[in-house]
Amino acid sequence: MVDQFQGLAPAAFRSALAQFPSGVTIVTTRSDEGTLHGFTASSFASLSLDPPLVLVCLDRRADCFPVFMASKHFIVNIVTDAHAELAIKFATKGENKFAYGNFEFDEAGHPLLSDAAAVIRCELEQAVPGGDHMILIGRVHATRTGTSKPVTWYRGGFLPLGESAA
């Protein structure tokens, strides 16, 4: 079985992963200079209940990578179907990401989506290398849940909960 995976083409790997639906998040922070930064991530999971930890994966090639490595806090916004276009913008390099969306700010000035399915405020506990990504482990300090359902990412597109996949 192992021999079948030698020379795995990146497109084949990506296609196989597209068969696994995942949630969509927009992760945000504020630099020490006050500049807002963020990225879209579907690699997000709860890690521990005690202590409360989550993890999110950040591409090392992302423009915001150095800021998140230096930042002590970040916010995970679990997006809804209404945020699909915004999530695409946050996944795009060079985009003025914060010109869109209904952002508000916590007491430390970190941006969060006021209409997210959930908002999770984290302190960076640890950053662990993982291939071409960095796994950010965040200690959760506060959460807030909204009333809208989260959206999933499946086969290269957004799929609202409750709909059947094609």
Side-chain angles (χ1 to χ4, degrees):
M1 184 77 147
V2 173
D3 292 339
Q4 295 176 3
F5 290 104
Q6 289 181 349
L8 176 65
F13 181 54
R14 197 176 200 95
S15 178
L17 294 178
Q19 300 304 309
F20 183 73
S22 62
V24 182
T25 65
I26 293 176
V27 184
T28 60
T29 195
R30 181 183 191 99
S31 72
D32 288 339
E33 295 77 31
T35 308
L36 306 180
H37 296 271
F39 64 97
T40 297
S42 58
S43 295
F44 166 77
S46 62
L47 179 60
S48 170
L49 289 176
D50 187 16
L53 300 173
V54 296
L55 66 82
V56 64
C57 299
L58 172 60
D59 191 323
R60 292 173 185 260
R61 298 165 297 183
D63 292 342
C64 62
F65 180 79
V67 175
F68 275 88
M69 292 299 91
S71 183
K72 292 178 178 62
H73 297 92
F74 60 91
I75 308 269
V76 178
N77 299 277
I78 298 176
V79 302
T80 69
D81 190 38
H83 302 117
E85 188 175 320
L86 184 64
I88 295 295
K89 291 188 183 307
F90 271 79
T92 305
K93 286 185 178 244
E95 188 70 38
N96 181 6
K97 301 167 181 175
F98 291 93
Y100 312 94
N102 296 321
F103 287 96
E104 59 185 49
F105 300 89
D106 68 9
E107 64 277 355
H110 293 94
L112 54 98
L113 281 169
S114 59
D115 55 348
V119 174
I120 303 167
R121 291 182 40 204
C122 303
E123 179 179 358
L124 183 61
E125 178 100 352
Q126 188 175 6
V128 180
D132 58 2
H133 280 63
M134 187 66 75
I135 304 163
L136 306 179
I137 298 173
R139 182 179 291 260
V140 178
H141 286 283
T143 63
R144 182 174 83 188
T145 56
T147 57
S148 299
K149 291 181 182 178
V151 69
T152 59
W153 182 253
Y154 177 66
R155 292 185 175 175
F158 295 97
L159 182 66
L161 290 180
E163 290 188 16
S164 63

